[in-house]
Amino acid sequence: MSKTKQAPDSGPKSTARAKTKGRVAAAAPEGSLPLDLALQGGGSHGAFTWGVLDRLLDDPQIRPVSISGTSAGALNAAVLATGWAAGGRTGAQQALRAFWMDVATEGHCFGDAAAISPAWGAALGWPWSAWAAAPGLSGFNLDNQPWYPWGQQFLRSFSPYQFNPLGDNPLRKVLQRHVQPAALRTCGLALFITATAVRTGQPRVFDAQDLSIDALLASACLPQLFKAVEIDGQSYWDGGYSGNPALWPLIYHPGSLDLLLIKINPSVRPCLPNTPAEIADRVNEITFNAGLVSEMRAIAFVHRLLAEGKVDPRKYRDLRLHMVADEEGLAPLQASSKLNTDRNFLQALHALGHAAAERWLQMHRDDIGQRPTLDLRSTFLSPRQGQAA
């Protein structure tokens, strides 16, 4: 197992290497770089993942094989697969753009209709420009908006079974316009969508054979905002509680040995949270990363056993792990921004993701199929665990 480190974002060497890779790519056959994808959830921050996918699909040699997604990651996966079935990689790109622009138009897909979309604030006489004055992405945080604290207090006092007894979910109509369940079974991509069983707390992974609009809604069902989704007599909440995203379906499925994680939830916050809202947000971030961290630790352990010749390599896959992320770029965003579906915000996130994927490809495109580029020790293990691994 070779030791690797995350690449720097840019520089003369990376630029020169990118030009060389362009010449290599021109001679490579279509779809010669198979890649499994693992897509995190995170509300409207899923538009960052849209940008990453858009850039990856620009490269004709990169071929998605299997996709595991949770919450917004699940929606990205299903929309991509629907577009792929209709028109290959170009169809997938067009489908993703149409979906996210529809989300911007619908306004409150990732939260309750009473307290999420800036359009509601505008309807009450609070123009968006009045609270988008902060520079950069931080201007899209909702914490300081006049309706946001009221909405959060409302959600602490009432459950969706009280304020939304009919279970209306605006995301359903959007998904019905952009996802065709029949196409998911014929698109040629293996899909794995995770939801959390309410009664047992265990993950349920839906594949293309049982994937439905309800399954996608279950994967993105935050219990503070929406009633649990009933499927086959079982109740489900957001898949992020049990796997964000689940990696084991990709490990057991005979797909690519190269697995690319598109990560949007921060692992590290430099400042200690000290307000009730900050504490609650950080607890949620830790909770929604816990399953992923556990799986990465298990993978690191298997890698060590394989390197030491202690397990049969015919029974354990020596995965080549990769990751596209931009924690620094997303750092100005608070949890409240995950509920913001302003078109300018979604497009800004797309641009951020597109740029992050471009940097990763410049540094690591030639590593696909050859070696891992994600340093598990420094990214997911504590120093003591890293020494043990």
Side-chain angles (χ1 to χ4, degrees), residues 22-46:
R23 294 194 292 271
V24 173
E30 172 81 21
S32 59
L33 299 175
L35 198 61
D36 285 349
L37 301 174
L39 313 182
Q40 274 202 323
S44 64
H45 291 191

Side-chain angles (χ1 to χ4, degrees), residues 308-353:
E308 296 173 355
K310 294 181 178 179
V311 294
D312 188 346
R314 295 171 298 180
K315 297 181 179 180
Y316 294 88
R317 304 176 71 203
D318 194 5
L319 295 174
R320 296 182 288 266
L321 295 178
H322 314 277
M323 184 175 75
V324 174
D326 188 355
E327 293 216 3
E328 182 178 353
L330 294 171
L333 296 175
Q334 302 300 322
S336 65
S337 65
K338 295 181 179 180
L339 307 175
N340 188 345
T341 56
D342 176 75
R343 183 182 300 269
N344 292 330
F345 181 45
L346 299 182
Q347 291 176 329
L349 288 170
H350 170 276
L352 203 65

